[in-house]
Amino acid sequence: VFWRIRLRHPATGEKWMRPMHWNGSAYVPGEPPAPAEGRILYRLPELLAADPAAPVFVVEGEKCADALARLGLTVTTSGGASSADGADWRPLAGRSVIVWPDNDKAGRGYAEAVHRNL
């Protein structure tokens, strides 16, 4: 549905993220309009293909999700700390979900928002 370019400055550690989406003829900057039911979850194809009995880890951010996926876990995220309320969590219905928050105030807030939405 869209790409997110994610870079970190080697000297300062500053994050730079830019989404791009297909507009029908080319990739353009920005996210596509969100469906009425909410934005799709990250790694949705892998989530849908996974064993429905396997637990799904929900983490804050794509970087964390990719790290857990490399370990062979079923994982998803809605994005950053403020993204949970805008996501479509329906693909997790009936699944065992483990919310693994970042160890900071934003992470705790994200975990609480995920719990509310689930």
Side-chain angles (χ1 to χ4, degrees):
V1 175
F2 64 92
W3 294 89
R4 186 173 312 276
I5 301 166
R6 178 188 175 97
L7 302 170
R8 184 178 296 267
H9 192 281
T12 66
E14 181 181 352
K15 294 179 191 177
W16 184 86
M17 292 178 278
R18 298 294 184 270
M20 298 186 75
H21 72 278
W22 185 256
N23 71 0
S25 59
Y27 280 98
V28 295
E31 292 187 16
E37 51 278 344
R39 287 185 36 203
I40 66 166
L41 296 174
Y42 186 63
R43 303 186 69 87
L44 184 60
E46 295 89 341
L47 173 63
L48 296 175
D51 177 358
V56 177
F57 288 84
V58 175
V59 296
E60 178 191 336
E62 295 89 349
K63 182 179 176 183
C64 289
D66 289 342
L68 289 181
R70 283 191 296 275
L71 297 175
L73 300 173
T74 303
V75 61
T76 192
T77 185
S78 58
S82 62
S83 66
D85 290 334
D88 179 4
W89 295 99
R90 293 176 302 161
L92 297 180
R95 303 287 301 254
S96 175
V97 176
I98 300 167
V99 180
W100 189 347
D102 284 4
N103 189 24
D104 57 18
K105 183 178 179 182
R108 288 184 295 280
Y110 178 75
E112 290 170 7
V114 170
H115 280 111
R116 272 195 319 273
N117 282 281
L118 293 176

